[in-house]
Amino acid sequence: MTDIFTEIEKIIADEYDAVLTSRKDIGDFYINENRDAVNVKSNNVDKVNFSPNIVSVPKILDFLENYSNKNMIYVFVDYKMLDNEIKILETTKVNIEHIDWNCLAIRAQGKGVIQKSGNLLINKEQTREQWIKICWEKYKEYAKKQIITMNEIIIKSERVRF
């Protein structure tokens, strides 16, 4: 038996007549002749889902800064379980560059991960270039904080005497 998240990804992929990719791929599946990458993010409305991961920062910047890559699309799925069945309540499809940075944050996991922090905010006027520029600005802020944290660890470690 697959997990609920994979089942939901399959349901959404089937709607696009697409096949799921490997877990290492940036998209859960690809659609249309452009091979737009689609990533499905599911949320059980009966549970508290704090700051779900969207994508690793280096991975999305590598993808978006290569203009031979087409769109990075997210499908946000709200669902609930009814009698052990998945009941999809709402889906929202949005290109990543239209996700407003006011609902995103970069947090410390690996080299940094973008997380959704709060309700989804969509800005259809924001371009790919603007989104990338803001991402880099936020990523620099994140890196500076990580450097401070790492320096504090180094200083503490130097005080340890055995």
Side-chain angles (χ1 to χ4, degrees):
M1 168 141 172
T2 59
D3 59 55
I4 291 171
F5 307 112
T6 303
E7 287 183 46
I8 292 172
E9 289 168 4
K10 174 105 176 71
I11 290 168
I12 301 300
D14 287 348
E15 290 179 10
Y16 290 92
D17 197 26
V19 177
L20 293 177
T21 62
S22 76
R23 285 283 166 212
K24 294 191 180 258
D25 207 309
I26 195 158
D28 293 322
F29 59 91
Y30 290 85
I31 59 172
N32 65 37
E33 65 281 349
N34 290 334
R35 291 204 20 91
D36 293 337
V38 179
N39 201 306
V40 178
K41 296 296 175 187
S42 53
N43 172 50
N44 184 338
V45 297
D46 290 331
K47 295 183 179 181
V48 179
N49 191 2
F50 296 103
S51 301
N53 290 343
I54 302 297
V55 66
S56 102
V57 177
K59 197 171 189 178
I60 195 60
L61 287 171
D62 286 347
F63 181 87
L64 292 176
E65 288 179 333
N66 178 350
Y67 280 84
S68 66
N69 291 325
K70 301 302 179 194
N71 296 308
M72 180 72 235
I73 299 167
Y74 280 83
V75 178
F76 293 93
V77 179
D78 285 338
Y79 74 95
K80 66 183 341 183
M81 297 301 295
L82 292 174
D83 300 322
N84 289 326
E85 296 286 325
I86 298 168
K87 168 86 171 143
I88 294 179
L89 305 173
E90 181 178 4
T91 61
T92 304
K93 179 181 160 188
V94 60
N95 284 14
I96 195 166
E97 66 262 22
H98 295 145
I99 301 174
D100 195 296
W101 272 98
N102 288 317
C103 73
L104 300 174
I106 297 177
R107 304 261 167 63
Q109 288 181 15
K111 294 181 181 176
V113 66
I114 297 173
Q115 294 181 331
K116 189 160 100 31
S117 57
N119 294 328
L120 180 64
L121 301 173
I122 297 173
N123 178 355
K124 295 262 186 179
E125 303 302 314
Q126 186 169 250
T127 66
R128 184 174 186 157
E129 292 79 12
Q130 290 167 329
W131 195 93
I132 291 169
K133 182 178 183 230
I134 295 168
C135 186
W136 273 114
E137 289 168 4
K138 301 272 186 189
Y139 200 32
K140 282 192 293 190
E141 291 171 22
Y142 160 82
K144 288 175 185 176
K145 290 177 186 173
Q146 289 305 105
I147 290 168
I148 292 168
T149 300
M150 294 298 114
N151 283 334
E152 289 171 355
I153 292 170
I154 291 167
I155 290 167
K156 283 182 182 179
S157 74
E158 291 170 348
R159 288 185 286 194
V160 174
R161 301 285 181 239
F162 290 100

